[in-house]
Amino acid sequence: MSPRLEKLSASLKSALGDKITDFNTHVGEITIRINPADIMEVCGILRDHEELKFEQLIDLCGIDYSDFGEGTWAGPRFAVAYHLLSVSLNHRVRLKVFAADDEFPVLASVVNVWSTANWFEREAFDLYGLMFEGHPDLRRLLTDYGFVGHPFRKDFPMIGNVEMRYDPDQQRVVYQPVSIEERNNVPRIIRDEGFHRG
């Protein structure tokens, strides 16, 4: 580990203490995991602490662990990864938080810590169904308002549930069941011998 990474690791551990539930360094990047109840306090410390100064949230993304490790994953299904940057100190960290409830995943919104979280949280809501408590305007961002489901969840059908089209007779956009036939998207060259659908 480089001296800069060692210094950042020590600063994170000193500032956050027992709020860190897992600490991982891989390929020169630090990932820390915390409990969902601590998210607002930890994010405030990461932004304001003199040795950390993570002024920017550069990305926030949802993660669905439902089939992770070829089905061996036993932890919570949904997580959010926050990618933070300190411009003034030139270092980065990844913060990972798992939602406690797989059926209705909710985390606190960090919009009041980093305003850039606004659209990132809307995207995670839209694509994964992750809820952000305290978000000022949590609504779909990338899919249509009538869209059914959350397309980045691993149990979402590849062809979707409904499709929309313009109906010239009704002179409006209509929703209807998907008319695309399912097909096998696995290239022949990597199929197992005797591969069959079923």
Side-chain angles (χ1 to χ4, degrees):
M1 186 184 307
S2 71
R4 284 181 56 81
L5 211 57
E6 284 180 12
K7 183 181 177 192
L8 176 57
S9 298
S11 297
L12 286 164
K13 289 174 182 176
S14 172
L16 300 176
D18 62 357
K19 301 277 188 220
I20 298 173
T21 60
D22 186 45
F23 192 97
N24 184 11
T25 305
H26 182 65
V27 295
E29 295 180 355
I30 295 174
T31 302
I32 58 174
R33 181 175 166 183
I34 63 167
N35 289 318
D38 297 327
I39 191 165
M40 294 306 294
E41 181 182 355
V42 167
C43 288
I45 292 169
L46 290 171
R47 182 193 63 192
D48 300 334
H49 193 279
E50 196 62 32
E51 296 176 10
L52 301 176
K53 292 187 179 179
F54 288 104
E55 307 101 345
Q56 287 190 353
L57 170 69
I58 56 174
D59 193 17
L60 177 159
C61 56
I63 307 168
D64 181 353
Y65 280 90
S66 63
D67 288 330
F68 185 71
E70 297 179 11
T72 61
W73 178 256
R77 178 176 177 181
F78 295 104
V80 173
Y82 303 83
H83 299 260
L84 306 174
L85 170 67
S86 172
V87 176
S88 57
L89 299 176
N90 191 27
H91 53 231
R92 298 170 188 257
V93 72
R94 180 183 302 110
L95 174 66
K96 193 179 288 186
V97 185
F98 282 85
D101 184 358
D102 290 348
E103 297 302 315
F104 189 68
V106 180
L107 294 170
S109 172
V110 297
V111 168
N112 291 331
V113 181
W114 298 287
S115 60
T116 56
N118 190 325
W119 280 27
F120 291 143
E121 289 178 352
R122 284 182 59 189
E123 180 183 48
F125 161 70
D126 191 2
L127 301 178
Y128 288 95
L130 295 162
M131 303 299 293
F132 294 92
E133 188 174 13
H135 190 284
D137 186 21
L138 194 61
R139 58 189 162 102
R140 291 193 181 271
L141 180 67
L142 300 173
T143 59
D144 183 69
Y145 292 122
F147 192 86
V148 177
H150 304 283
F152 280 17
R153 286 189 173 192
K154 292 185 180 175
D155 55 1
F156 188 82
M158 285 185 69
I159 60 170
N161 296 312
V162 296
E163 63 186 18
M164 73 177 198
R165 66 174 178 79
Y166 179 77
D167 187 318
D169 296 332
Q170 298 180 41
Q171 295 186 345
R172 67 180 183 92
V173 173
V174 295
Y175 293 90
Q176 63 189 40
V178 175
S179 61
I180 302 170
E181 289 187 31
E182 281 196 63
R183 62 188 178 131
N184 186 349
N185 288 330
V186 180
R188 289 184 188 272
I189 53 172
I190 63 169
R191 289 185 186 160
D192 294 332
E193 195 64 39
F195 177 85
H196 67 282
R197 289 184 75 195

